[in-house]
Amino acid sequence: MTSEVVENEFEFYSKAKKYWKDVPATVDGMLGGYGHISSIDINSSRKFLQRFLRDGPNRTGTTRALDCGAGIGRITKRLLLPLFKTVDMVDVTEDFLTKAKSYLGEEGRRVHNYFCCGLQDFSPEPNSYDVIWIQWVIGHLTDNHLSDFLKRCRAGLRPNGIVVIKDNMAQEGVIMDDVDSSVCRDLDVVHKIIRRAGLHLLAEERQENFPDEIYHVYTFAMR
């Protein structure tokens, strides 16, 4: 658990904030030098998400989505805006959100809110979102903060809405990355946190066709 690897919570968050402040506001910067995997990532995410947007009595709506840890809006631009009427973005780095306004282009008019905030301090508006997308950012939250944030996300869902996490998974236990001040959890730990947040897992999928040298990446849908 993160309590075993995070010695100082304040330092854990402030170091991460400082790290991202120095990262270039580009797709390559958002993906840690792996900008070339962006299309593979987006295409897989689209297929995963569309199974919930198809017709049926429990179909997830397409009115409003929230992009958490949004950066410059890579996911907002290529995944969420093509599928949802409006999108909100939240990120801790103000420069990224500023860059997003030009990066998103004309379609960016349908982004209604740019929230500059760490997820540990962010509360989605209750009963507001069809999809809350959380990608490559849960490692920047302690277990307790992640569980609490997911509880707030659950309250932020509209009927039939879903929360999606897409992130790196460790082989075993919890691994600390001192460079960007983040943790990488194994599947078992993530499952426990999801259950603790009172969320029910609907689907889980391992990302294919990513470089061998990076962590395995999994996508989870829950409500």
Side-chain angles (χ1 to χ4, degrees):
M1 306 300 267
T2 53
S3 55
E4 291 161 20
V5 293
V6 176
E7 290 172 14
N8 181 318
E9 200 176 89
F10 175 78
E11 204 174 273
F12 175 67
Y13 286 113
S14 55
K15 246 180 105 176
K17 196 172 178 181
K18 184 177 182 305
Y19 169 84
W20 285 106
K21 220 173 170 44
D22 295 333
V23 167
T26 61
V27 169
D28 212 39
M30 299 303 97
L31 293 175
Y34 282 86
H36 59 284
I37 68 170
S38 186
S39 289
I40 299 168
D41 168 57
I42 294 289
N43 291 338
S44 297
S45 294
R46 189 181 300 112
K47 277 186 198 150
F48 182 88
L49 188 51
Q50 277 175 330
R51 73 175 87 165
F52 297 97
L53 307 181
R54 291 190 193 114
D55 289 337
N58 298 317
R59 190 179 87 87
T60 297
T62 54
T63 302
R64 193 176 178 200
L66 174 66
D67 185 358
C68 299
I72 62 168
R74 181 186 72 92
I75 291 161
T76 290
K77 183 184 178 92
R78 297 193 52 198
L79 176 68
L80 301 177
L81 280 172
L83 294 172
F84 295 87
K85 288 192 182 111
T86 66
V87 179
D88 290 342
M89 293 169 59
V90 55
D91 197 274
V92 74
T93 307
E94 200 167 348
D95 286 353
F96 294 165
L97 295 175
T98 301
K99 171 71 176 181
K101 288 166 189 173
S102 59
Y103 171 73
L104 294 170
E106 194 62 19
E107 291 298 298
R109 287 175 308 148
R110 293 189 291 112
V111 174
H112 284 189
N113 294 293
Y114 295 87
F115 300 108
C116 188
C117 187
L119 297 183
Q120 70 275 18
D121 300 315
F122 183 72
S123 293
E125 190 185 329
N127 194 33
S128 293
Y129 297 102
D130 296 298
V131 169
I132 296 177
W133 193 273
I134 308 164
Q135 184 162 346
W136 280 322
V137 69
I138 65 167
H140 285 302
L141 297 175
T142 64
D143 290 348
N144 287 340
H145 281 156
L146 177 54
S147 175
D148 289 346
F149 175 61
L150 290 175
K151 283 176 191 167
R152 298 194 297 273
C153 286
R154 195 182 76 201
L157 293 178
R158 289 157 59 96
N160 296 323
I162 56 169
V163 176
V164 178
I165 288 175
K166 186 168 187 179
D167 221 302
N168 301 335
M169 296 294 131
Q171 290 290 91
E172 192 181 344
V174 179
I175 299 163
M176 181 77 188
D177 184 335
D178 283 322
V179 177
D180 68 356
S181 191
S182 70
V183 295
C184 186
R185 303 168 172 94
D186 69 20
L187 278 169
D188 189 41
V189 174
V190 173
H191 286 155
K192 281 178 184 159
I193 292 170
I194 288 169
R195 285 197 300 271
R196 206 168 107 197
L199 286 160
H200 171 65
L201 199 57
L202 303 172
E204 176 179 317
E205 184 176 281
R206 184 176 157 192
Q207 172 72 50
E208 294 177 347
N209 303 318
F210 268 9
D212 291 337
E213 72 271 14
I214 67 173
Y215 282 116
H216 292 167
V217 172
Y218 277 79
T219 312
F220 311 88
M222 60 212 114
R223 65 164 64 107

